Amino acid sequence: MRFNYTYLLIFITCIPIISSAQQADADRVFSPVEIESLLLRNNIQLFAAKYDVDMAQAEILQAKVWPNPSLEISEVNLWANSTSEQLPRLWRDYGHTQQFALELEQLVETSNKRKKRISIKELEKVDTELAFEELLRSLKLELRTSLIELDRLQKQETQVHYAVSYFEQLSGQYSRQSENKTVSKAEYYRIQSELIQQKEQLVDLRSEKAELLSKINLFAGLPHGSISRIDSNQPIAFEQQAFLEAKENISENRVAIKRALNRQQLAERTHRLAKAEAVPDLNFMVNYDRGGNIMQDFVGLGLRIDLPVFNRNKGNIQVAQLAIQQEQKNTAYLKQEIENDIDRQIQQLSFYEQALKEYPPEAIESYQMMMDNYQKHLNNQQITLLEFIDFSTSFLEAQQTFWNLQENYRKLYQELQYSLGTDL
């Protein structure tokens, strides 16, 4: 077989193009809206959950099917004795002494049991659809909180990276000065100690960020590394009145409550079916008997019915009645729990919002700008090294505290929307 060098040349030519395309994807900044759309299109967990809906629909089709009739063949004789009567032949010269019986039986359910089972399966399908919707909302909530956390990590990583750069510069500068004995070794070691701490923090942040990015890529149904940077700087407008108004409609919007109400209906229809099961079903029969009766060819009709003497399904009816009461209590508790959570979350959001408004403006200024200014003061000997390090770490901690507070506020905002069952 002759090797085709043309294909090899084309493959080698395409390698830089493929690499540049992959690099472009890696450098791309994704918005939360884009990642959520990827979640809807690519998430494998959602695809798997959709099969539950299809299976529920198939169960409805199965519930609509009538029970099959049964056919029984009996009284077949494999030989004949001296007392056999002569019967008309069945085929050619065969069958003068052949006896057999046929019976066809069909079950007919009474009290609309079949329709009641269909209605139960339809409600079970509704529950499956609501479960899928609840899964989707929980995945969106988890994705959004992950993006909020990633945004905080990106800011901290940038800030700590600047700190490492500044202390590396100072380390080189003080290393030379300590060799020239213009500064003490203690000051150089102090800078080295701070540099090691900042590098360790940077490694921890990058490790935490990598773990979170892996999780986000999994949500979006993409290979690891496809999403490496996100832009989640979206302003949040907290309107307490809008949330309070949405609270009035949680029975219509919150999936968990809709599922609880659906389970109530399911319990009620199960109770109806249990009462219907107390009514005996009918079995209609048509039979044919050849040579087994006073007639050589006998055709008869029959009816079989269970007599409700011992079993009148009272236990199952009582269980179904108790299940209705249980679901009513569960729904009432769930609704109260959600309403309490909403009130708590609205109150906590107000606390966070007030704290963010009162945060000192200097604590959220650019770290790079502030460090440049203080480094100039250090070089001009307007401040000491210890003052520079103390300011650097204090300002770093102040900004991180602000970002943590902002992260908690934004996460709680998303949790409140989830509790209300709507996106405001």
Side-chain angles (χ1 to χ4, degrees), residues 85-140:
E85 298 181 6
Q86 291 294 312
L87 301 174
R89 63 183 181 178
L90 290 174
W91 181 70
R92 292 188 179 180
D93 291 333
Y94 173 76
H96 290 289
T97 59
Q98 183 64 55
Q99 176 183 333
F100 63 89
L102 299 175
E103 182 177 81
L104 183 65
E105 181 176 348
Q106 175 65 53
L107 171 66
V108 177
E109 294 181 309
T110 58
S111 194
N112 287 326
K113 294 187 185 73
R114 176 172 161 272
K115 290 184 178 180
K116 289 180 172 65
R117 279 197 299 269
I118 293 173
S119 66
I120 288 175
K121 290 299 181 182
E122 288 173 345
L123 286 178
E124 289 177 352
K125 182 193 174 186
V126 172
D127 183 75
T128 305
E129 292 172 340
L130 291 173
F132 176 81
E133 184 180 349
E134 192 168 24
L135 173 64
L136 174 59
R137 288 193 60 85
S138 63
L139 288 176
K140 287 175 68 176

Side-chain angles (χ1 to χ4, degrees), residues 93-345:
D93 291 333
Y94 173 76
H96 290 289
T97 59
Q98 183 64 55
Q99 176 183 333
F100 63 89
L102 299 175
E103 182 177 81
L104 183 65
E105 181 176 348
Q106 175 65 53
L107 171 66
V108 177
E109 294 181 309
T110 58
S111 194
N112 287 326
K113 294 187 185 73
R114 176 172 161 272
K115 290 184 178 180
K116 289 180 172 65
R117 279 197 299 269
I118 293 173
S119 66
I120 288 175
K121 290 299 181 182
E122 288 173 345
L123 286 178
E124 289 177 352
K125 182 193 174 186
V126 172
D127 183 75
T128 305
E129 292 172 340
L130 291 173
F132 176 81
E133 184 180 349
E134 192 168 24
L135 173 64
L136 174 59
R137 288 193 60 85
S138 63
L139 288 176
K140 287 175 68 176
L141 173 64
E142 194 172 354
L143 174 62
R144 290 178 181 180
T145 54
S146 298
L147 292 175
I148 291 170
E149 187 176 351
L150 179 61
D151 179 55
R152 188 258 305 168
L153 288 174
Q154 287 182 164
K155 292 175 181 176
Q156 286 189 358
E157 181 189 15
T158 302
Q159 185 188 56
V160 176
H161 177 72
Y162 283 141
V164 169
S165 300
Y166 283 119
F167 281 103
E168 283 179 342
Q169 293 175 11
L170 286 176
S171 176
Q173 178 183 341
Y174 273 68
S175 175
R176 292 189 297 269
Q177 292 179 357
S178 66
E179 290 175 358
N180 296 331
K181 298 184 179 180
T182 56
V183 297
S184 66
K185 284 282 186 182
E187 290 185 332
Y188 171 69
Y189 290 146
R190 181 69 182 86
I191 292 175
Q192 282 295 103
S193 175
E194 188 64 29
L195 177 60
I196 291 172
Q197 292 179 14
Q198 296 296 339
K199 283 186 175 181
E200 182 181 2
Q201 185 179 2
L202 184 61
V203 170
D204 291 340
L205 286 171
R206 287 176 174 172
S207 176
E208 189 177 354
K209 178 183 171 184
E211 184 178 352
L212 200 56
L213 280 170
S214 177
K215 181 180 177 181
I216 292 172
N217 279 281
L218 183 62
F219 276 126
L222 298 176
H224 178 74
S226 300
I227 299 174
S228 58
R229 297 175 61 197
I230 59 105
D231 177 18
S232 58
N233 290 319
Q234 295 185 348
I236 294 177
F238 172 63
E239 298 181 4
Q240 184 172 351
Q241 186 60 35
F243 284 118
L244 291 174
E245 292 175 359
K247 179 185 171 184
E248 302 298 324
N249 299 321
I250 57 171
S251 296
E252 300 175 3
N253 298 327
R254 182 65 190 268
V255 179
I257 296 180
K258 288 194 286 187
R259 288 191 72 185
L261 294 173
N262 187 71
R263 283 194 292 267
Q264 278 191 37
Q265 296 184 35
L266 187 59
E268 291 170 359
R269 296 192 186 182
T270 303
H271 177 251
R272 295 176 193 172
L273 179 61
K275 293 173 68 176
E277 292 289 352
V279 181
D281 295 327
L282 301 177
N283 288 272
F284 291 96
M285 295 168 284
V286 178
N287 51 46
Y288 167 76
D289 193 341
R290 171 183 166 84
N293 210 316
I294 58 174
M295 301 181 189
Q296 289 186 358
D297 295 292
F298 172 79
V299 177
L301 302 176
L303 173 66
R304 186 173 73 240
I305 182 172
D306 293 334
L307 299 178
V309 176
F310 304 109
N311 181 8
R312 306 184 75 174
N313 212 35
K314 287 184 178 181
N316 291 331
I317 293 173
Q318 185 176 1
V319 169
Q321 288 175 337
L322 294 173
I324 293 174
Q325 299 174 13
Q326 183 184 45
E327 292 298 337
Q328 290 173 346
K329 297 298 182 183
N330 288 338
T331 303
Y333 175 79
L334 178 63
K335 190 173 181 181
Q336 184 179 10
E337 182 184 29
I338 292 175
E339 289 177 348
N340 289 347
D341 283 342
I342 291 172
D343 291 335
R344 172 186 58 80
Q345 290 163 349

